[in-house]
Amino acid sequence: MNLDDMARRLPAERDLPAARKQILKEHLMTELRQADPTRPRTRRPRRRRRQGEHRRTVLVAGAVLTAAAVAIATATAVGTHASPPAPKAAQPAAPATAAQLLAKIAAAAARQPAPVVRDSDFTYIRSEVAYEVDSISNGHETSSMEKLHERQIWLPVANVCATGLLIEQGERTPISPFPVANGKVDRDPPKGTPMPNFTCPSEGHLGDTTYRLLQSIPTQPDALLAYLKAGKKWTNDDPPTEIGDMIRETIMPPALAAALYRLAATLPGATLVPHATNVAGRAGIGIMWTSKTARQVYKNEWIFDKTTLRFIGEKTYDPGTGRLTGESAIIQQAFTAKAGQVP
Amino acid sequence: MELSQRARVRAGDHDEFGVLFCEHARAVYNHAFRLTGNWSAAEEVVSLTFLEAWRLRGTVRPDGGSLRPWLLGIALNVARNVSRAARRQQAAMNRLPKAPDVPDFADDLAGRIDDAERLEKIHAALSTLRRTERDVLALCVWSGLNYAEAAEALGVPVGTVRSRLSRARRKLRREPGPASEQVTGDRVGGTR
């Protein structure tokens, strides 16, 4: 046998399975952040990142939390101020279980009028956030909560390739699936730079959604659950985490919001928190999600306004120690005609 | 002046390691498969190779071309002693999400098993070679590095690469081929 012969007998090269490649890369990047003594990192929220997700990265780095659903409280771009659901004359008894509360939240969401939104609009969310940040120096890792600060984000309504904007802690960062360098979107970066694996224009996908994508997601319970589980193939997130990620920093179409909360009511792991307060001091009622399975370890609280049952913020905890690791309050959400335009 | 990739890797630039992974994960994966004969093990070697590359980033020479030879050299050591590398990176590897129970390539499982069988026969044919000769062969003949690149990967002079390869060539010429009727024919799955 000669060497050329041998080379010909070698099996053909193969690609790493795409999903696995993404997991290996994310793992590597996470390990580097942990190993690097110089860079502070935000520990929470650790959430999925999918291929080409520069936007996702920014969201993660910014450590968000935000908005959801229900209410397009201030749809100023189109002037449709959604009114809160009229308080019933005779309030039914307070919900006794998480499932009951989620059912009520779903019903309140379903009553919201659907806003009129143009493809060229941006979803605007203003929130107050603080997250735990880790820094490592001299081999010692210390964790501390960020100071509570304002975060404003504009995300395209119909096409994730359109450039959005994040303003947080004095920094203006473009939001794009394309690489962002020196504050600018680079659509023609050096070879090898990770690029979005979809073609533009795109309504995005679970994990990097647009309002138009959310409008297209099935609202039938079985179909919706199947949709979320299909997303799990990429994220390993279980449905409560997927839903939590979806309602955060998003204006949610009323029909999908209702469907998500109805679905959430059927999922295990939720407990009712009768008195919950968001970081802005607004009193509410909460749903605590806990999971300690091998893959999914979390303790997250969704907070809803007591009267309107709108999502008003979130808290995350270390599931081991119970220590608070992040909190947010949604202050305002609206559609605007341009990124950077304040409603 | 913009820093070279080598300079950025030496400086521990995270993003550059991301780029490095995107550029070379496939090459490392296939190299690792040819070394281990096992596609699942190859995944683990990919992960460990880049973790080891991070640890060893200070050893990158400032000048030179692609870092692929350097990575393939690290992969050689990792594949040879996966358990040692895994021990060193144990904490990191514990955090690596396990591969799904049903592999992503389930549809192609038969092809991959066939790959492993071919490799086994080739490995058997190499049993008379020294380890150092097999390394040169894996780098130059299987992964297509030139002598200078293989020299960088192995940390040996170019002349050593050349002499090891020619020795391997001579030894193999004396060997009967692997059970050739079973491994000849078209490569299953073609080129991808």
Side-chain angles (χ1 to χ4, degrees):
Chain A
M1 180 170 67
N2 66 42
L3 294 187
D4 299 331
D5 243 7
M6 179 184 294
R8 269 188 288 108
R9 287 172 185 178
L10 282 175
E13 293 213 339
R14 291 179 187 270
D15 281 320
L16 259 169
R20 195 64 191 154
K21 182 174 181 180
Q22 184 67 17
I23 288 169
L24 293 186
K25 184 181 174 200
E26 285 185 12
H27 173 253
L28 173 70
M29 300 314 284
T30 305
E31 292 304 322
L32 299 199
R33 279 194 294 279
Q34 300 207 346
D36 194 316
T38 56
R39 289 193 184 200
R41 71 195 154 94
T42 302
R43 179 188 286 167
R44 277 249 150 218
R46 284 179 60 205
R47 62 187 90 266
R48 73 258 185 114
R49 250 170 285 174
R50 303 201 180 101
Q51 48 264 78
E53 282 344 309
H54 284 264
R55 154 184 283 182
R56 205 67 208 171
T57 308
V58 171
L59 288 179
V60 168
V64 178
L65 267 229
T66 328
V70 232
I72 289 75
T74 50
T76 55
V78 292
T80 57
H81 286 262
S83 47
K88 297 255 170 69
Q91 286 278 354
T97 67
Q100 286 172 10
L101 174 60
L102 284 163
K104 291 182 66 174
I105 291 167
R111 285 196 296 271
Q112 297 300 319
V116 179
V117 187
R118 287 183 296 260
D119 280 355
S120 57
D121 284 346
F122 286 81
T123 302
Y124 170 75
I125 309 285
R126 182 159 62 90
S127 54
E128 298 278 331
V129 302
Y131 277 87
E132 185 168 80
V133 177
D134 296 342
S135 50
I136 305 169
S137 58
N138 302 325
H140 289 284
E141 186 174 314
T142 53
S143 301
S144 57
M145 285 289 279
E146 292 174 320
K147 235 177 102 181
L148 185 68
H149 61 273
E150 185 184 75
R151 176 181 162 96
Q152 299 180 86
I153 196 165
W154 289 261
L155 297 171
V157 155
N159 176 14
V160 291
C161 302
T163 304
L165 177 66
L166 171 69
I167 301 181
E168 186 172 17
Q169 295 185 305
E171 278 189 42
R172 296 171 68 94
T173 313
I175 305 282
S176 172
F178 294 97
V180 174
N182 303 320
K184 289 203 178 127
V185 176
D186 186 357
R187 292 192 182 226
D188 187 22
K191 196 167 162 286
T193 309
M195 291 288 280
N197 68 341
F198 50 79
T199 53
C200 293
S202 165
E203 291 183 352
H205 53 85
L206 199 55
D208 191 8
T209 59
T210 59
Y211 192 78
R212 291 286 180 252
L213 180 82
L214 297 175
Q215 285 178 309
S216 74
I217 292 175
T219 54
Q220 290 299 316
D222 291 349
L224 178 57
L225 186 59
Y227 184 91
L228 298 181
K229 284 186 169 168
K232 179 175 171 145
K233 188 171 66 180
W234 295 95
T235 63
N236 276 333
D237 288 341
D238 60 8
T241 309
E242 290 285 4
I243 296 172
D245 283 354
M246 286 176 79
I247 64 177
R248 170 182 307 118
E249 207 160 51
T250 306
I251 296 178
M252 185 68 73
L256 181 61
L260 286 170
Y261 292 124
R262 269 196 297 268
L263 175 60
T266 68
L267 301 172
T271 51
L272 181 76
V273 182
H275 302 287
T277 308
N278 77 4
V279 67
R282 196 157 149 200
I285 186 163
I287 297 286
M288 182 75 81
W289 292 96
T290 51
S291 167
K292 291 183 181 176
T293 60
R295 287 241 178 123
Q296 294 279 303
V297 179
Y298 55 78
K299 187 173 178 207
N300 296 336
E301 184 180 30
W302 303 346
I303 305 168
F304 299 86
D305 183 277
K306 264 214 163 91
T307 311
T308 66
L309 297 180
R310 289 175 185 156
F311 183 85
I312 56 168
E314 186 172 26
K315 293 191 182 186
T316 63
Y317 300 87
D318 181 318
T321 64
R323 191 181 66 250
L324 183 70
T325 56
E327 49 190 339
S328 77
I330 292 136
I331 308 298
Q332 184 181 17
Q333 53 190 43
F335 292 104
T336 67
K338 286 181 179 163
Q341 178 187 333
V342 177
Chain B
M1 195 188 99
E2 196 180 327
L3 290 174
S4 70
Q5 182 176 48
R6 281 174 180 257
R8 289 194 295 270
V9 165
R10 282 168 59 89
D13 181 329
H14 289 187
D15 294 341
E16 200 58 50
F17 272 80
V19 172
L20 207 59
F21 185 92
C22 288
E23 287 177 348
H24 302 301
R26 182 189 155 104
V28 173
Y29 179 57
N30 283 283
H31 178 59
F33 170 69
R34 292 187 291 259
L35 297 170
T36 61
N38 180 319
W39 285 111
S40 301
E43 274 186 21
E44 192 182 356
V45 171
V46 169
S47 201
L48 284 166
T49 295
F50 283 91
L51 291 168
E52 288 287 274
W54 169 258
R55 188 176 68 85
L56 299 169
R57 62 193 183 276
T59 66
V60 168
R61 292 202 324 243
D63 315 317
S66 164
L67 283 168
R68 180 168 304 194
W70 177 63
L71 290 168
L72 296 185
I74 292 172
L76 273 179
N77 289 321
V78 169
R80 179 168 306 124
N81 200 334
V82 171
S83 58
R84 189 175 60 200
R87 259 200 315 282
R88 187 154 49 222
Q89 303 285 355
Q90 187 169 27
M93 293 306 281
N94 285 345
R95 290 186 286 262
L96 176 65
K98 294 282 172 285
D101 300 335
V102 179
D104 297 357
F105 47 81
D107 54 336
D108 204 16
L109 204 50
R112 288 181 182 252
I113 290 170
D114 182 71
D115 288 347
E117 287 171 356
R118 285 160 172 259
L119 239 315
E120 202 173 315
K121 295 192 176 88
I122 291 176
H123 282 186
L126 300 183
S127 58
T128 56
L129 299 188
R130 289 169 190 270
R131 177 175 64 73
T132 53
E133 292 158 0
R134 280 199 298 269
D135 285 353
V136 172
L137 192 134
L139 292 171
C140 295
V141 180
W142 296 356
S143 285
L145 300 193
N146 64 34
Y147 290 174
E149 289 169 334
E152 180 182 3
L154 296 168
V156 301
V158 175
T160 307
V161 171
R162 193 178 288 120
S163 62
R164 282 180 189 170
L165 192 60
S166 75
R167 201 158 54 234
R169 205 183 286 276
R170 263 198 323 277
K171 281 186 181 175
L172 288 175
R173 217 173 277 140
R174 294 199 299 267
E175 294 293 318
S180 50
E181 71 284 359
Q182 291 178 43
V183 292
T184 49
D186 293 332
R187 288 148 70 148
V188 172
T191 316
R192 317 166 168 243

